[in-house]
C-alpha cells in the first residue's frame, strides 16, 4: 500500500471523520504531515503549547491521565484539547510501539474545522466522552476521600 492509501485507510477508521467523503479525507491528508516516533518517545508533553493535533496511522501510544493510561491506536486522535482550547497540553502522550501519525498544525486544523462542521461536531462528542471519563475519576476519588 502506498502512503496515501495507508493514510486514507486510517482516516476512514477514525470515527471523527466517518461522515467525510474521499475528497474531504484527501483534504485532511493534505493539511497534515506524516511523523514517526520510536517506542518510549514522548509525542506531546503536559504543559507544552498546543501547536498541532495528531491522528494515529499505525502503532500505538498511551496517554497518562492521572495514573490511568488510555491506549491510542490506528484511527484514534489526540492533541486536540490544547489546539481547541488554546491552553497548554493536558497530559503527556508517549509512543508505546513505533508510531506513525498525521500531524495537523493548529492553524490548518482550525481552518479545516470551519469548513467541515460535521467534523467539529464529532470532535465535540469525543470531548464529552473525555470529560465524562474525568468526571468519573473525580467522583471515584471524592467518594474515596469522603
Ligand atoms: P492535549 O491536551 O492537547 O494533549 C494531551 C492529549 O491527551 C489531549 O489533548 C487529549 O487528546 C488526550 N487526552 C487528555 N485527556 C484524555 C482522556 N481523559 N482520555 C483520552 N485522551 C485524553
Amino acid at each position: 500500500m502506498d502512503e496515501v492509501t495507508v493514510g486514507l485507510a486510517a482516516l476512514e477508521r477514525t470515527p471523527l471523520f466517518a461522515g467525510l467523503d474521499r475528497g474531504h479525507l484527501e483534504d485532511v491528508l493534505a493539511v497534515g504531515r506524516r511523523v514517526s516516533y520510536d517506542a518510549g518517545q514522548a509525542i506531546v508533553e503536559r504543559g507544552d503549547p498546543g501547536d498541532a493535533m495528531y491522528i494515529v496511522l499505525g502503532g500505538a501510544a498511551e496517554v497518562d491521565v492521572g495514573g490511568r493510561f488510555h491506549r491510542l491506536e490506528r484511527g484514534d486522535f489526540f492533541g486536540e484539547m490544547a489546539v481547541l482550547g488554546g491552553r497548554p497540553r493536558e497530559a503527556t502522550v508517549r509512543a508505546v510501539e513505533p508510531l506513525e501519525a498525521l500531524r495537523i498544525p493548529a492553524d490548518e486544523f482550525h481552518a479545516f474545522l470551519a469548513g467541515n462542521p460535521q467534523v467539529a461536531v464529532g470532535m465535540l462528542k469525543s470531548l464529552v466522552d473525555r470529560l465524562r471519563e474525568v468526571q468519573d475519576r473525580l467522583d471515584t476519588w471524592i467518594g474515596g476521600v469522603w
Side-chain angles (χ1 to χ4, degrees):
M1 267 203 276
D2 64 34
E3 282 217 348
V4 173
T5 313
V6 172
L8 285 175
L11 292 187
E12 276 164 358
R13 287 170 52 137
T14 309
L16 184 62
F17 299 124
L20 295 190
D21 61 28
R22 212 182 163 91
H24 282 93
L25 293 178
E26 282 171 0
D27 290 346
V28 179
L29 275 184
V31 295
R33 187 170 62 84
R34 282 187 75 142
V35 287
S36 14
Y37 295 87
D38 296 327
Q41 227 182 328
I43 303 151
V44 305
E45 298 209 48
R46 185 179 161 86
D48 281 354
D51 53 353
M53 60 114 20
Y54 297 80
I55 299 162
V56 179
L57 300 177
E62 261 181 7
V63 48
D64 176 355
V65 280
R68 271 198 206 180
F69 292 89
H70 290 277
R71 190 176 166 91
L72 302 163
E73 295 177 332
R74 190 154 98 122
D76 291 329
F77 65 90
F78 60 91
E80 79 295 351
M81 291 172 76
V83 166
L84 292 172
R87 302 282 302 268
R89 299 288 187 199
E90 201 66 42
T92 293
V93 181
R94 196 174 291 283
V96 289
E97 292 170 15
L99 186 95
E100 290 281 321
L102 189 68
R103 179 183 187 276
I104 304 181
D107 289 353
E108 270 107 307
F109 192 60
H110 281 291
F112 180 80
L113 282 186
N116 293 275
Q118 73 276 38
V119 176
V121 171
M123 191 157 269
L124 280 177
K125 287 184 183 153
S126 94
L127 286 172
V128 169
D129 286 344
R130 285 177 184 176
L131 188 62
R132 197 161 274 154
E133 188 272 330
V134 172
Q135 185 64 51
D136 285 351
R137 200 148 31 90
L138 271 179
D139 288 347
T140 307
W141 183 71
I142 290 168
V145 169
W146 294 101

